[in-house]
Amino acid sequence: MTMTRRDFLSASAALAAAPALGAGAWGAPLPREADIVVIGAGAAGIAAARRIQAANRTVIVVEASSQIGGRCLTDTAAFGVPFDRGARWLHNPDTNPMLKLARDAGLDIYTPPQGQKIRIGRRNARAGETEEFLAALVRANRAIDDASRGKADVACASAMPKDLGDWTGTAEFVLGANATAKDLKDISVIDKARAQDRNAAIACRQGLGTLVAKLGAPLPVALSTPASRVSWGSRDVTVETPAGRIAARAAVITVSSNVLAAGNIKFTPDIPKRQLDAAAKLSLGSYDHIALQLPGNPLGLARDDIIIEQSNSTRTALLFANIGSSSLCAVDVAGSFGRELSGQGEAAMVAFAVEWLTKLFGSDVATAVKKSSATRWNAAPYVLGAMSAAVPGGQPSRKILTEPVGCMFLAGEATHETLWGTVDGAWESGERAAEAALRRIGALRDTEPEAAPARAPRQRRYIAAPVRPVTPRSPIN
Ligand SMILES: Cc1cc2nc3c(=O)[nH]c(=O)nc-3n(C[C@H](O)[C@H](O)[C@H](O)COP(=O)(O)OP(=O)(O)OC[C@H]3O[C@@H](n4cnc5c(N)ncnc54)[C@H](O)[C@@H]3O)c2cc1C
């Protein structure tokens, strides 16, 4: 029995060599001034810079790391096929601007076969069992939605139905750690209920990191150039970097909520406590991919198969197998278990993945692993986690982060009220912040239409798509 990818998800640039400090990706020295300076070259920063250029204003993007992309990072070197170390799916094809951008950039967008399997021990769940699980998800989502209309914001865990039986742990994993990088006990019901459906799952064959890097390639991006201090007022801003200072009339700041809350960029005067508190309430959860190259398809799975298990413990994961018909498989770990595991290091992560797959498939996975690599986003110094999810009471913080601070405008996935934790949410937030900055410097009139189209209203997540029977698929070559 299979459930469609929609059910599942609803419920729930190659690594560049580091350029010299301050040298731009475009090869010019760091300019000393620009109309608007953008901090961070992830999806939000690249979207912001493109919007500013489209308004014929000068922009410079400073990026602390050695590549464009931030949490969209494709490693093409390790496995011979693109491995997305961060985001890998684009959702909502009807409204997601990244799909058109990817096609226009000549990248190959494809919808992997729709269908996921649930393992119960060493067998696949039967049709009736999968239906039971989908029904459990529907009820859990409805309970969270109902709780979000209550007087006080509470944790999703406290809203969960108590009678999900054997599916309790799996529902918690799919709705919590796997969807948001945090356990349900750490997520606000209002934040979760307001999140727009992440329906469908569309992949970019060359990787989402490749996509963002390509979209940023024509822009003036100074790599390996961390902003260390921002001196700001209501009319101008100076950004200090080890390669020099940039004076601008406005700044768009796209660093993650954890980077902002950690105080890794100093502000003069201090950034208001209101914004810092908001960032802290939108802290990043933990989500990592443990990549295993498994030649010969020892798990006997089809291309792009997604597997979860019936689990009564938080020590569980999601498998994305035979990615794009290759022998690359990724075991995803998330939430508090993922955080604990990633804290133990890459070897422990790979050992868990091997042990977990052996438990579910019985085959000798350990000897089949040709190569492995695990991401550790919590330890990535310029990101410090995976994606934001509001603590109970923290949902209004998203709006607070969008309030202008002098001539500084914050952007990034955490500032999007409904598409937080996504690439397209980050992209849209960057465009919005750029427009606010352009208005501030008088480069855009209030009457001018915004670049980003209005999104369709959020869809109800608990309306499950029809359950489809399993159609056996031939294993990959
Ligand atoms: C493992 C994982 C899986 C994910 N899966 C998906 C998915 O399938 N689909 C999806 O839509 N989303 C997914 N996401 C979430 C998605 O990746 C993010 O929401 C999105 O990429 C965030 O973009 P951003 O621009 O807001 O932030 P970032 O990508 O974090 O960009 C911020 C940039 O600021 C830079 N920076 C930090 N400090 C400084 C400084 N001092 N000076 C200059 N630059 C600085 C950073 O290096 C970074 O490049 C996933 C995330 C992770 C980690």
Side-chain angles (χ1 to χ4, degrees), residues 159-376:
M160 287 286 278
K162 303 289 176 241
D163 55 353
L164 300 182
D166 290 342
W167 295 110
T168 305
T170 314
E172 282 178 2
F173 173 70
V174 167
L175 296 178
N178 185 248
T180 71
K182 282 188 183 170
D183 298 352
L184 289 179
K185 66 178 172 25
D186 299 321
I187 313 167
S188 139
V189 286
I190 298 180
D191 207 33
K192 179 94 175 129
R194 287 208 185 151
Q196 188 182 318
D197 190 6
R198 280 84 160 122
N199 73 27
I202 296 153
C204 173
R205 206 171 292 282
Q206 294 84 359
L208 286 190
T210 306
L211 169 61
V212 176
K214 215 165 177 187
L215 295 174
L219 297 167
V221 182
L223 298 175
S224 304
T225 306
S228 50
R229 180 174 294 278
V230 180
S231 306
W232 59 278
S234 58
R235 300 173 71 88
D236 51 28
V237 59
T238 303
V239 174
E240 288 178 34
T241 78
R245 290 172 176 211
I246 306 157
R249 296 164 67 197
V252 174
I253 300 177
T254 72
V255 301
S256 74
S257 49
N258 274 17
V259 168
L260 193 66
N264 292 359
I265 301 179
K266 308 289 173 221
F267 291 88
T268 309
D270 284 343
I271 194 164
K273 188 170 175 308
R274 179 174 168 79
Q275 269 70 27
L276 277 186
D277 287 351
K281 286 179 185 163
L282 298 170
S283 61
L284 305 185
S286 182
Y287 200 111
D288 283 298
H289 303 305
I290 307 166
L292 305 175
Q293 194 168 25
L294 294 171
N297 195 16
L299 307 179
L301 295 170
R303 160 166 95 86
D304 294 314
D305 254 348
I306 292 187
I307 313 285
I308 53 170
E309 65 163 337
Q310 186 184 65
S311 171
N312 57 8
S313 123
T314 56
R315 285 180 64 84
T316 188
L318 172 144
L319 167 66
F320 181 30
N322 304 326
I323 300 172
S325 283
S326 72
S327 57
L328 182 62
C329 298
V331 172
D332 292 358
V333 290
S336 57
F337 166 61
R339 183 177 296 281
E340 180 201 315
L341 188 64
S342 74
Q344 292 167 20
E346 212 173 315
M349 296 171 84
V350 172
F352 164 78
V354 167
E355 174 207 324
W356 186 71
L357 291 176
T358 305
K359 179 187 83 177
L360 293 183
F361 293 93
S363 44
D364 190 1
V365 180
T367 54
V369 178
K370 190 170 160 213
K371 207 166 182 188
S372 63
S373 171
T375 66
R376 296 178 65 229

Side-chain angles (χ1 to χ4, degrees), residues 40 43-44 62-64 70-71 86-89 227 255 287 382 412-413 421-423 426:
V62 293
E63 166 56 49
R71 281 171 269 172
R88 66 158 77 104
W89 302 120
V255 301
Y287 200 111
Y382 299 122
E413 56 86 11
T422 68
V423 182

Side-chain angles (χ1 to χ4, degrees), residues 2 6 9 76 108 136 154 174 185 215 218 261 291 334 356 380 395-396 403 419 428 440 470:
T2 255
R6 183 195 153 90
L9 293 166
T76 54
D108 185 7
V154 294
V174 167
K185 66 178 172 25
L215 295 174
W356 186 71
Q395 197 280 336
E403 295 168 0
L419 287 170
E428 196 174 292
R440 172 58 62 98
V470 178

